[in-house]
Amino acid sequence: MLMLNKAAGVFYKPSRRKTYEFLRSFNFHPGQLFLHKLVLGIETSCDDTAAAVVDETGNVLGEAIHSQTEVHLKTGGIVPPVAQQLHRENIQRIVQEALSTSKVSPSELSAIATTVKPGLALSLGVGLSFSLQLVDQLKKPFIPIHHMEAHALTIRLLNKVEFPFLVLLISGGHCLLALVRGVSDFLLLGKSLDIAPGDMLDKVARRLSLVKHPECSTMSGGKAIEHLAKQGHKLHFDFKPPMQRAKNCDFSFTGLQHVIDKIITQKEKEEGIQKGQILSSAAHIAAAVQHTTACHIAKRTHRAILFCKQRDLLPQSKAVLVVSGGVASNLYIRKALEIVTNATQCTLLCPPPRLCTDNGIMIA
Ligand code: KG4
Ligand code: ZN
């Protein structure tokens, strides 16, 4: 946990005693007395402006979200100053909407929690300065939130998951495997050495011009790939999963993206079409890239499970693997992970899609 030194305007890591004092002052104990403790969560780390009000028992009182996907699809990726401007235009309305659907007035809040890292600096800044103003006006405690920790812990709103458990976060901006030993006790086991899988799928979808495909025009890149893959054959192209010999749990997606880029250029030549037109083999490419991505993610996760079990970091049976992030909504990738968890006597848990992607609830 980080605390804010308001006078200096900086965050610091408090001593354990100070942390307990802070939590006690905030009345985070179980019991009826605290049923009305309400936290407003604000998320602006990337391209979603989101807010929610959650009580301390995990009840979601209300939420609101504004997605910038449509705008970024048109520009072919997130342009940070554009994202910043859109957050600025929407944050007040979204927070207001979250409060009014919750039927909660600002003065009834117990605290304001906001994502402070990691993310796009310009986007994070909008949520942070809005929150600090609110904190100042309302004289409420401020809880800085680590975006990845929030993703990892969200499952506990829905399932009774005991520590330790393994978490795999796969989205457009994240790719990591970590052992969750406590609310803020994480052991990082592996991460992407370059880009995240969602970023790679978005780039492939853009290169295939899937926004021009009548069935995929409003879908994110990853979702468009999943949709089109159903019409293709996964073994039509033989893409090798990356890092097969690396004895660790890291990931890599840039090499695969370049291989696919080359294939697309070659196919465009063969079919005599211009960049920007849809290839006849687009569905086969989508199926192969989805299959290779799923294999890579599943293999690295398998290594992490075996490593944790060998070292007694996870229970030998019924260990839990939580998978979250936008890419976790891909059913083909989930199936591949299910094969791994079945083979290792683990339980696979995925939050529902609306909690897998960025949202205010996970922050609150
Ligand atoms: O978690 P998220 O909403 O935002 C962050 O990146 O933090 O994830 C968005 C990413 C995008 O890259 C999108 O293409 C990918 O998740 N995605 C998918 C699917 N739906 C969204 N990837 C694969 N299959 C899907 N069904
Ligand atoms: Zn996220």
Side-chain angles (χ1 to χ4, degrees):
M1 188 176 87
L2 290 174
M3 286 175 114
L4 176 69
N5 179 337
K6 275 207 210 146
V10 293
F11 293 106
Y12 66 98
K13 197 167 171 47
S15 65
R16 194 167 279 226
R17 189 176 58 81
K18 263 209 139 50
T19 304
Y20 287 140
E21 271 173 16
F22 172 74
L23 291 176
R24 261 203 304 276
S25 73
F26 182 50
N27 283 337
F28 243 152
H29 311 275
Q32 226 181 345
L33 187 68
F34 312 109
L35 278 176
H36 300 295
K37 292 284 175 197
L38 306 168
V39 178
L40 168 67
I42 297 178
E43 157 65 35
T44 64
S45 68
C46 188
D47 60 344
D48 290 309
T49 316
V53 179
V54 176
D55 75 13
E56 82 277 23
T57 64
N59 281 325
V60 179
L61 277 78
E63 67 164 322
I65 187 159
H66 174 263
S67 166
Q68 305 176 358
T69 306
E70 229 173 276
V71 175
H72 299 311
L73 268 177
K74 280 186 198 132
T75 50
I78 298 173
V79 181
V82 175
Q84 180 190 40
Q85 184 55 29
L86 290 170
H87 281 306
R88 280 188 182 141
E89 285 168 16
N90 290 289
I91 191 158
Q92 172 109 33
R93 176 178 64 82
I94 288 298
V95 169
Q96 191 54 53
E97 222 173 285
L99 287 168
S100 55
T101 51
S102 309
K103 300 193 171 50
V104 166
S105 73
S107 62
E108 288 173 299
L109 293 170
S110 308
I112 292 158
T114 304
T115 309
V116 294
K117 67 174 180 183
L120 299 173
L122 292 179
S123 295
L124 284 166
V126 178
L128 186 58
S129 60
F130 182 89
S131 304
L132 292 182
Q133 258 180 17
L134 209 57
V135 160
D136 206 41
Q137 272 169 22
L138 302 171
K139 307 282 175 257
K140 303 284 179 186
F142 177 68
I143 309 175
I145 300 292
H146 191 291
H147 183 83
M148 313 301 261
E149 293 185 358
H151 266 307
L153 297 169
T154 303
I155 193 73
R156 284 161 50 89
L157 272 178
L158 311 159
N159 298 67
K160 202 172 170 296
V161 185
E162 303 289 347
F163 298 116
F165 62 89
L166 194 63
V167 70
L168 168 69
L169 296 180
I170 39 176
S171 72
H174 330 307
C175 182
L176 62 82
L177 266 165
L179 182 71
V180 188
R181 297 186 288 207
V183 168
S184 58
D185 182 4
F186 288 70
L187 177 68
L188 184 66
L189 299 170
K191 60 181 184 330
S192 175
L193 302 177
D194 36 63
I195 58 174
D199 192 8
M200 186 270 293
L201 294 173
D202 290 341
K203 286 183 164 120
V204 172
R206 272 205 297 281
R207 184 66 187 78
L208 286 169
S209 305
L210 296 188
V211 271
K212 292 190 191 153
H213 194 291
E215 291 167 28
C216 312
S217 60
T218 58
M219 293 178 186
S220 69
K223 202 171 163 63
I225 296 278
E226 181 176 24
H227 177 80
L228 215 57
K230 292 187 188 121
Q231 302 161 25
H233 197 289
K234 66 182 182 198
L235 301 179
H236 189 95
F237 293 99
D238 184 22
F239 302 136
K240 295 268 174 296
M243 300 181 76
Q244 302 225 61
R245 298 219 183 115
K247 291 192 166 41
N248 56 39
C249 302
D250 288 334
F251 302 80
S252 169
F253 295 94
T254 299
L256 178 59
Q257 187 217 321
H258 288 153
V259 170
I260 296 161
D261 250 21
K262 270 196 193 154
I263 291 277
I264 296 174
T265 308
Q266 185 192 322
K267 287 281 147 199
E268 281 169 348
K269 271 194 198 141
E270 280 174 25
E271 292 187 20
I273 64 167
Q274 298 290 315
K275 201 172 176 177
Q277 288 176 280
I278 310 241
L279 280 174
S280 68
S281 50
H284 292 317
I285 295 176
V289 67
Q290 177 177 256
H291 177 66
T292 315
T293 305
C295 287
H296 180 45
I297 291 173
K299 283 182 182 182
R300 312 315 283 171
T301 307
H302 190 205
R303 287 187 66 87
I305 293 173
L306 296 182
F307 173 83
C308 288
K309 287 202 172 186
Q310 257 172 22
R311 297 186 180 223
D312 278 331
L313 296 169
L314 277 176
Q316 292 305 320
S317 73
K318 299 242 170 72
V320 172
L321 168 69
V322 172
V323 185
S324 192
V327 179
S329 52
N330 183 294
L331 297 182
Y332 190 87
I333 294 173
R334 279 196 196 190
K335 261 264 166 308
L337 289 165
E338 220 172 271
I339 294 170
V340 170
T341 49
N342 287 342
T344 50
Q345 290 84 49
C346 291
T347 307
L348 175 66
L349 294 177
C350 301
R354 82 185 175 102
L355 291 179
C356 270
T357 52
D358 292 350
N359 63 83
I361 297 171
M362 70 180 196
I363 306 304

